[in-house]
Amino acid sequence: MVGGLCFVVLVGLVGLVLALIFNHFLPLLLNVGLAPKGSFGWMPLLGETLTFLKPHPSNSIGSFLQNHISRYGKVFKSHLFCSPTIVSCDQELNYFILQNEDKLFQCSYPKPIHGVLGKSSMLVVVGDTHKRLRNMALTLVGTTKSKPEYLNDIERTAIQILGSWKGKQQVFFCEEARKFTFNVIVKQILGLTPDDPQTTKILEDFLTFMKGLISFPMYIPGTAYARAVQARIRISSTVKAMVEERRRRNNISNTGDQNSNNKKQLQGDFLEMLLSVNTLSEDEKVSFVLDSLLGGYETTSLLMAMAVQFLGQSPAALQQLKLEHQNIRRVKEKDEYLNWEDYKKMEFTQNVINEALRCGNIVKFVHRKALKDIRFKDYLIPSGWKVLPVFSAVHLDPSLHGSNALQFHPWRWETQNQTCKKFTPFGGGPRFCPGSELAKVETSFFLHHLVLNFRWKPEGVDQSMAYPYVEFQNGLPLKVEQI
């Protein structure tokens, strides 16, 4: 009986190996001679993944890309994330990939990411589902970004966070930035204040979710990944309960019908608007909320940290930024809130933000796959292969941005077009980040009050590292002094 069991196990293993060869390595071998030059590494399945993901300063491209570009050029083949891969550090090919979403290329994040984000997340869905969710996001952002209520909430939160610095000599800026962005986004999406018990509950689960999103993706009870999956389930339950409570309070049915007598009770947040939409399922609405929290919390706070770090290293840029905000404040009443017209006057502030995005590279690359064999210039991108357009390599390319490409120099944006092919911090094409403007507004308003009320300088040496997600090793400690 034991011998028979061993035979069954042996047959199963042989079958698994054969399936791996025919489904994975055979297409690889058939197309390997037609793809760009490169190396697949020596590790089975993983290939060169571990060296590709080796941490490095986010304002550099890292040793892996440096070595491969010098050996094979800006477009090369590799074996990453268990798949034969074309890596593009070329601005023209990157633009081509982004503009041909769902035509020649398709979003293709590793399956474990789906387990944390959820199958309805706008970051992983494709085709018509992605179009519906993105159109919803664009509508919400378009109706929100210039609303006085939203702008006032941002400014009040910035003043509150900076007010807590009084009497302090040191702050950990990453923590303060996350506190600011979470308070802003949870109010805008769910209508919650920082003191609301639900806010604390959601933040605790969301921090667990974030740790798992960037952890080793294996579901074993007790691991960061497993805890993240469970945290997402709890957040989903919390949001669903809020949806039902809001429906009951506002007398909104599942079909989106609204009693006109209760319109005055509506809060005007994202959740309120989602309730009136009947083109999205309940799971899609919950995923939309989670995606909004993710984008409005982590990436915006990192942008703020990047800007503050680079400004601390550039006295001339900081001085010009301060003058711009002094001029804006000079024509306003003492306690008058900033408005959309003030934001549009913050031209040098936008230069600082763009340069922080270019140098800091919050999003290093995105995952795509080829839907068919694709010829681009002299390259063949084989059907089914993973394709990684690397934004950081283009952002830091001296042939595109000059000999000072690795330096923080906001004045370059006085002549450079921020919508050009060589600048894609928010992606591009049909997957261009719909919340990009909100991130810039929040950062601009926070910087307004920061530069007018505080001096700061870094405490020790801290470096933003790409893991490939970006993180400050020590939380960006700052020595602060109130003006």
Side-chain angles (χ1 to χ4, degrees), residues 159-194:
I159 292 171
Q160 177 190 13
I161 296 296
L162 292 169
S164 71
W165 293 12
K166 291 180 180 178
K168 293 183 178 180
Q169 294 183 330
Q170 184 192 63
V171 297
F172 288 87
F173 188 79
C174 287
E175 180 182 342
E176 299 298 304
R178 288 192 180 108
K179 195 185 305 179
F180 167 72
T181 57
F182 187 81
N183 289 349
V184 169
I185 201 68
V186 82
K187 173 71 185 305
Q188 186 54 41
I189 294 173
L190 300 173
L192 299 175
T193 64

Side-chain angles (χ1 to χ4, degrees), residues 284-337:
E284 287 173 341
K285 291 179 181 179
V286 171
S287 288
F288 184 91
V289 169
L290 197 60
D291 290 343
S292 301
L293 287 172
L294 177 62
Y297 170 76
E298 185 67 13
T299 54
T300 304
S301 64
L302 276 171
L303 168 57
M304 292 169 58
M306 292 291 184
V308 167
Q309 180 198 37
F310 288 126
L311 285 168
Q313 301 168 357
S314 178
L318 179 57
Q319 181 60 26
Q320 184 163 337
L321 183 71
K322 186 174 180 179
L323 286 173
E324 178 172 86
H325 287 279
Q326 286 175 335
N327 290 334
I328 291 172
R329 180 53 58 185
R330 190 172 290 119
V331 297
K332 300 184 75 67
E333 298 293 332
K334 181 179 179 181
D335 297 322
E336 186 181 355
Y337 283 119

Side-chain angles (χ1 to χ4, degrees), residues 247-451:
R247 278 203 180 105
R248 185 195 62 76
R249 190 198 317 159
N250 296 334
N251 193 24
I252 299 178
S253 70
N254 286 323
T255 59
D257 296 328
Q258 180 179 306
N259 187 319
S260 59
N261 294 328
N262 290 308
K263 285 184 180 179
K264 62 182 180 181
Q265 300 178 10
L266 302 184
Q267 294 180 217
D269 52 37
F270 279 18
L271 186 60
E272 202 74 66
M273 299 179 196
L274 282 173
L275 287 174
S276 63
V277 176
N278 53 22
T279 57
L280 302 180
S281 67
E282 291 300 298
D283 284 341
E284 287 173 341
K285 291 179 181 179
V286 171
S287 288
F288 184 91
V289 169
L290 197 60
D291 290 343
S292 301
L293 287 172
L294 177 62
Y297 170 76
E298 185 67 13
T299 54
T300 304
S301 64
L302 276 171
L303 168 57
M304 292 169 58
M306 292 291 184
V308 167
Q309 180 198 37
F310 288 126
L311 285 168
Q313 301 168 357
S314 178
L318 179 57
Q319 181 60 26
Q320 184 163 337
L321 183 71
K322 186 174 180 179
L323 286 173
E324 178 172 86
H325 287 279
Q326 286 175 335
N327 290 334
I328 291 172
R329 180 53 58 185
R330 190 172 290 119
V331 297
K332 300 184 75 67
E333 298 293 332
K334 181 179 179 181
D335 297 322
E336 186 181 355
Y337 283 119
L338 295 169
N339 54 41
W340 187 251
E341 287 69 31
D342 295 322
Y343 170 67
K344 301 307 288 185
K345 294 176 184 176
M346 299 178 184
E347 295 180 1
F348 188 72
T349 306
Q350 297 307 305
N351 294 345
V352 168
I353 289 173
N354 287 335
E355 188 69 347
L357 288 167
R358 187 192 68 83
C359 292
N361 294 293
I362 296 171
V363 178
K364 178 179 177 180
F365 63 92
V366 291
H367 293 259
R368 297 292 184 266
K369 73 174 179 181
L371 296 176
K372 60 180 74 173
D373 284 349
I374 301 163
R375 286 277 184 185
F376 184 82
K377 295 184 178 178
D378 297 329
Y379 311 118
L380 172 70
I381 302 175
S383 176
W385 280 35
K386 180 177 282 290
V387 183
L388 298 183
V390 182
F391 302 152
S392 60
V394 175
H395 290 165
L396 302 174
D397 188 340
S399 69
L400 300 174
H401 300 281
S403 58
N404 65 345
L406 299 182
Q407 298 175 11
F408 178 78
H409 187 72
W411 296 273
R412 78 174 75 245
W413 295 96
E414 293 175 354
T415 57
Q416 185 165 306
N417 181 2
Q418 62 175 299
T419 60
C420 62
K421 297 178 183 178
K422 56 187 179 182
F423 184 60
T424 52
F426 296 106
R431 285 187 177 269
F432 182 85
C433 176
S436 59
E437 192 74 59
L438 299 187
K440 291 183 177 183
V441 172
E442 290 181 35
T443 303
S444 299
F445 278 30
F446 191 92
L447 287 176
H448 174 82
H449 289 281
L450 176 63
V451 300

Side-chain angles (χ1 to χ4, degrees), residues 221-233:
T223 62
Y225 180 82
R227 289 196 296 269
V229 173
Q230 294 303 313
R232 189 193 185 283
I233 293 172

